[in-house]
Amino acid sequence: KPPVSLLEPGKELVWLIQGHRYNTPWSAAGDYEIQIEADSARVGEGRAAEGQAATHPYGPGGLMELYRGEPLLIVYGTATSDAGLRQALSDFAAQASLWSAVGSSPMELGRAPVLADTAVGEGQLANHNLLLIGGPGENALSARLMKKLPIREEIVDGALALRAFDNTFSLAGKGYGFLYPNPEHPQRLICVLSAAD
């Protein structure tokens, strides 16, 4: 029984069950009794839409897509030889683990898990949205995944730049952040946060 205060009147609730998504009507009482029948679901007397494959229900968008209740893992880079930068990336990841929303006050209880890029296992990659702190020069996972994306860091005319599809942007004195489906596990999202300086 999800807390009624967390459900918006008139909005559907999305269930991820046995590899399928089911959208169910909002319940004024907050009671949801779900019964799976073949490829459909019944909630109380109402029937939900047919089950859909459980690919990630969001497309590329804002950073808040990482905070929709799915498992989240914050991964900081250790690939740089600059000890001060490694510490800064670790400190930023620890601070980000306290966010309940970007720029919000720290959570009173709990925190998102934080790991170094060298400590992340394949199971964690498959089962978590990833907030990657550091670009490919600092974070081994950013380097691995950005090779498979239409967004990547490149050297253009001797300077660091970000290529996003057919556009190139100088990174001199700038940082960037983007959200994209994980190329190795498209049902999950990655967000890369990095700065040239």
Side-chain angles (χ1 to χ4, degrees):
K1 182 172 182 175
V4 176
S5 63
L6 300 181
L7 303 173
E8 295 183 45
K11 299 287 186 177
E12 292 184 326
L13 192 64
V14 178
W15 303 80
L16 298 174
I17 302 172
Q18 297 176 349
H20 288 82
R21 291 177 56 228
Y22 299 92
N23 295 3
T24 59
W26 178 74
S27 164
D31 293 322
Y32 293 87
E33 182 178 335
I34 189 163
Q35 178 181 356
I36 304 300
E37 300 172 356
D39 288 326
S40 65
R42 185 181 297 276
V43 178
E45 295 301 313
R47 182 172 286 282
E50 296 297 307
Q52 304 168 22
T55 55
H56 200 284
Y58 314 112
L63 182 60
M64 287 308 300
E65 295 296 335
L66 292 174
Y67 293 85
R68 299 283 184 189
E70 295 171 336
L72 174 66
L73 183 60
I74 299 173
V75 181
Y76 64 91
T78 62
T80 178
S81 60
D82 183 332
L85 180 54
R86 280 196 311 272
Q87 187 61 52
L89 295 171
S90 174
D91 292 347
F92 183 81
Q95 189 63 33
S97 75
L98 300 174
W99 297 342
S100 59
V102 177
S104 68
S105 299
M107 293 185 286
E108 288 186 36
L109 301 171
R111 58 183 291 178
V114 175
L115 285 177
D117 53 357
T118 55
V120 179
E122 290 302 317
Q124 291 165 311
L125 287 177
N127 294 310
H128 289 78
N129 290 339
L130 303 174
L131 177 55
L132 302 175
I133 309 299
E138 301 83 38
N139 190 314
L141 280 179
S142 294
R144 170 178 158 179
L145 297 174
M146 285 178 76
K147 288 178 184 175
K148 302 174 183 179
L149 295 178
I151 304 169
R152 60 179 56 103
E153 285 187 19
E154 296 180 350
I155 301 297
V156 176
D157 297 328
L160 189 61
L162 185 71
R163 182 176 301 279
F165 300 91
D166 294 329
N167 300 303
T168 303
F169 305 93
S170 169
L171 288 177
K174 298 176 185 169
Y176 66 86
F178 68 85
L179 186 82
Y180 206 84
N182 184 328
E184 296 181 4
H185 305 283
Q187 75 279 17
R188 299 295 179 202
L189 294 172
I190 63 168
C191 177
V192 179
L193 296 180
S194 184
D197 299 330

